[in-house]
Amino acid sequence: MQNHTSGDNSGKGHSKAERFSSTGFILTAIGSAVGLGNMWKFPYITGKYGGAAFFLLFIVCLLIVGLPVLLAELSIGRGGRGNPASSFFRLSNSKTWGVLGFISIVVPFLILSFYSVIAGWTIHYAVISFSNVLYESSDFTEHFNSFAASNLPVVWQIVVMFLTGWVVAKGISGGIEKFNKILIPGLLALLVILMVRALTLPGGMAGVDFFLRPDFSKLSTESVLVALGHAFFSLSLGMGTMVTYGRYVERQQSLGAASLAVGGGDLIYALIAGLIVFPTSFAFGIEPGQGPGLVFMALPAAFSAMPLGSFFGGLFFILLAIAALTSAVSLLEVPVAFVMDTWKWTRKKATIFTATACGLIGIPSALSVGGILGGYTIAGKPLLDFVDFVCSNILLPMCGLIVTLFVGYVWKKAGEEAGLSSFWFRIWMFVMRYIAPVLVVLIFLYSAGVIGFK
Ligand code: PFF
């Protein structure tokens, strides 16, 4: 086994104490994976791309591509003991790979600039649901639009950046790990309460049927690509997050087992989110495939018609906010770790700098959905959608491809770091060399509009 400890002295900010405990690491990685992707995006794309059949496809993508790439990212991080740029460089001794790794530091920074805006919406909705203001009028579409047109999204976005920065500034074991150890199990408990409520709604079972009884005729080629893209997004892959978390993992931790736990955890939260959103939507006659507005415009209608609706609605949005925050923390950690390494800054200083820069960059996004910048579009999209489009559909598949090629063809000691048996190692390498790159290129070409489907 190689001795990688020389990589540990990457700046005074990264003392040797920066390590996860074993359960802390798993919960933190689950915290990163479980986010707006599971509870806000997954139900809406499942509604749109084929219901239960799409869900099955998503599980297949998670198993055959998501888990192997997750293992690859964690191995790169622990093997290189650095940020994505320095880890790629150390493990290959090639500047080109270091530069390629750097791309996956820029992506989470950009993603956080708009992810924090949506996370801010969820906190706002939690507050107005608990206080009943949300239910004063029954036009929830109008409610959402007038909120988005105000300056309030900026205020909430700054609150989110502040909270995220506060956790990241406290460091790995004192901040990020502690935060996730409390919130991730708490989130599960609250979601289960909400799921029981949803499943006992009259008419809710039609939603369960839609979500769990597959009808394969509803699938299209596009469904496959969307499922694969979502497996990446949902497991926080292609954004340097898992590489960055991998560096804080102890040598004795099994990365294969950790990958299984994170993949399983992510799936369970998606399953529960589906078992909340679909029964609720069907019980109240709401179209589940209507798009990103589903959670903010339609679910309040459902909550308003339920006994104790403002409480259950508030609970739901708090959960969404918590899930978003644990993911936002993992997004911020990537550029913060890079700044600490590169400029030898303390964690606190690096966090203040990065969170402030990201917060400032996010303000125009916060004002672009019907706000004062709502009239300006880039490539026909409001700024927030544009940044999301470029990051999720172009940069993310690119970083995913870099990871698969690096582990499949460049880094010869990947197998030692991953610690797999020779049987599983051979399967893993096959996926890294042939299956994952081909599929990622397909997603990329599709997202870039080079290939299209009707
Ligand atoms: N996996 C998160 C979600 O499903 O919402 C999104 C995400 C978080 C992506 C952190 C990437 C990341 F680094």
Side-chain angles (χ1 to χ4, degrees), residues 143-165:
H143 198 120
F144 178 77
N145 290 337
S146 66
F147 160 66
S150 70
N151 291 331
L152 271 177
V154 177
V155 175
W156 287 114
Q157 177 233 359
I158 291 170
V159 169
V160 169
M161 281 312 303
F162 182 82
L163 289 173
T164 310

Side-chain angles (χ1 to χ4, degrees), residues 32-38 115 233-237 239 241 327 330-331:
S32 169
V34 174
L36 293 169
N38 301 60
Y115 200 86
F233 187 85
S234 196
L235 285 178
S236 304
L237 300 176
M239 298 183 223
T241 308
S327 299
S330 73
L331 285 163

